[in-house]
């Protein structure tokens, strides 16, 4: 099981500082959607250049023009790029084709997908690398999480790796680990804590224990 740090509410300099603190405990750094909006794909390049041994995920949440946007994120150095599960199959297929050309991976974010089981099966057949259940900030504010959805995709997805994101904290991580996703994505659970390094280290320990 891998651990991904999501960076959402930082600029490039702050992002570098956080990654420096927690780098030994994480596998993937996510350049979050708000960072891409504020800083552009330069943020992806800056982090990849400074931390070449970490995988970098560009959370573009692509909704259209999958091939083109994956190409641009790949040029910036992204290893994994996100596409929305609610987008058209053609968008996801375009993203997958381009990712294969560039030797990159596609993660489909299932945020706002109503029929998780049905859509996850369709998306799995499109050859994506990860399917991620996700309670975004607005869903978290309404008290939702994606634990049930994780169990659903674990049941129906045959080929892609499974991931979960949205409000995961040190206290809720054991419940997530019990469901055995391939990847756990944590943003505020690390970045909002006073001692980010200690929290990331403890998360890594819990994941290692399984
Ligand atoms: O994708 C995200 C969100 O939509 C804002 O862009 C976050 O990266 C994701 O939810 C993980 O962050 P936390 O919920 O703070 O763990």
């Amino acid at each position: 099981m891998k651990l991904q740090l999501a960076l959402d509410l930082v600029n490039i300099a702050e992002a570098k500082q956080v990654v420096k603190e927690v780098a030994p405990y994480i596998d993937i750094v996510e350049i979050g959607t708000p960072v891409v909006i504020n800083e552009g794909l330069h943020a992806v390049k800056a982090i990849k250049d400074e931390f070449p041994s970490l995988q970098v995920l560009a959370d573009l949440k692509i909704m259209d023009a999958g091939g083109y946007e994956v190409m641009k994120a790949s040029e910036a150095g992204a290893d994994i790029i996100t596409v929305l599960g609610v987008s058209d199959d053609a968008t996801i297929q375009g993203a997958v084709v381009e990712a294969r050309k560039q030797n990159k991976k596609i993660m489909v974010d299932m945020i706002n997908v109503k029929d998780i089981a049905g859509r996850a099966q369709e998306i799995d057949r499109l050859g994506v690398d990860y399917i991620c259940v996700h309670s975004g900030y607005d869903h978290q504010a309404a008290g939702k999480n994606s634990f049930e959805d994780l169990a659903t995709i674990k049941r129906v997805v045959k080929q892609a790796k499974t991931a979960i994101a949205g409000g995961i904290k040190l206290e809720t991580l054991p419940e997530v680990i019990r469901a055995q996703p391939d990847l756990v994505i944590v943003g505020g659970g690390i970045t909002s804590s006073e001692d980010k390094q200690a929290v990331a280290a403890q998360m890594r320990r819990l994941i290692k224990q399984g």
Side-chain angles (χ1 to χ4, degrees):
M1 193 181 306
K2 287 188 175 177
L3 178 60
Q4 174 173 316
L5 168 71
L7 296 171
D8 287 295
L9 306 175
V10 289
N11 59 31
I12 292 176
E14 290 160 345
K16 284 183 182 172
Q17 184 50 44
V18 179
V19 179
K20 212 185 219 169
E21 283 178 53
V22 305
Y25 309 110
I26 61 171
D27 303 288
I28 303 172
V29 184
E30 169 186 331
I31 303 303
T33 317
V35 178
V36 177
I37 287 169
N38 291 331
E39 305 267 14
L41 287 169
H42 301 296
V44 172
K45 183 167 173 14
I47 295 296
K48 190 66 190 176
D49 285 352
E50 187 123 348
F51 304 96
S53 62
L54 290 174
Q55 286 197 294
V56 175
L57 176 141
D59 190 17
L60 302 192
K61 295 189 174 77
I62 293 171
M63 182 68 182
D64 187 23
Y68 178 78
E69 294 187 2
V70 166
M71 181 181 74
K72 299 318 276 181
S74 301
E75 282 170 11
D79 300 290
I80 309 170
I81 301 109
T82 61
V83 180
L84 292 177
V86 292
S87 46
D88 196 89
D89 283 2
T91 303
I92 300 175
Q93 276 163 337
V96 169
V97 167
E98 185 62 25
R100 294 291 164 268
K101 266 194 228 158
Q102 308 275 354
N103 202 20
K104 308 292 181 180
K105 295 200 182 312
I106 295 299
M107 176 185 291
V108 170
D109 184 333
M110 301 294 277
I111 191 168
N112 268 337
V113 169
K114 303 297 175 219
D115 173 13
I116 293 281
R119 187 67 181 135
Q121 287 175 85
E122 288 169 2
I123 290 168
D124 196 29
R125 288 194 284 268
L126 299 178
V128 307
D129 301 285
Y130 290 91
I131 296 181
C132 178
V133 289
H134 181 198
S135 295
Y137 288 0
D138 297 337
H139 283 172
Q140 290 175 41
K144 295 184 189 162
N145 66 48
S146 294
F147 297 166
E148 263 183 44
D149 290 342
L150 175 59
T152 302
I153 60 166
K154 283 288 295 182
R155 203 180 61 244
V156 302
V157 168
K158 302 283 178 248
Q159 180 229 264
K161 291 192 160 88
T162 56
I164 178 166
I168 298 166
K169 309 265 181 276
L170 201 46
E171 309 80 65
T172 51
L173 184 61
E175 186 178 348
V176 172
I177 291 171
R178 275 195 292 279
Q180 290 288 299
D182 297 293
L183 173 65
V184 181
I185 300 170
V186 181
I190 292 174
T191 56
S192 304
S193 58
E194 232 162 73
D195 191 342
K196 299 174 189 39
Q197 193 171 61
V199 173
Q202 178 62 7
M203 286 186 162
R204 166 59 73 199
R205 265 192 295 277
L206 290 173
I207 287 173
K208 213 167 167 190
Q209 284 164 13

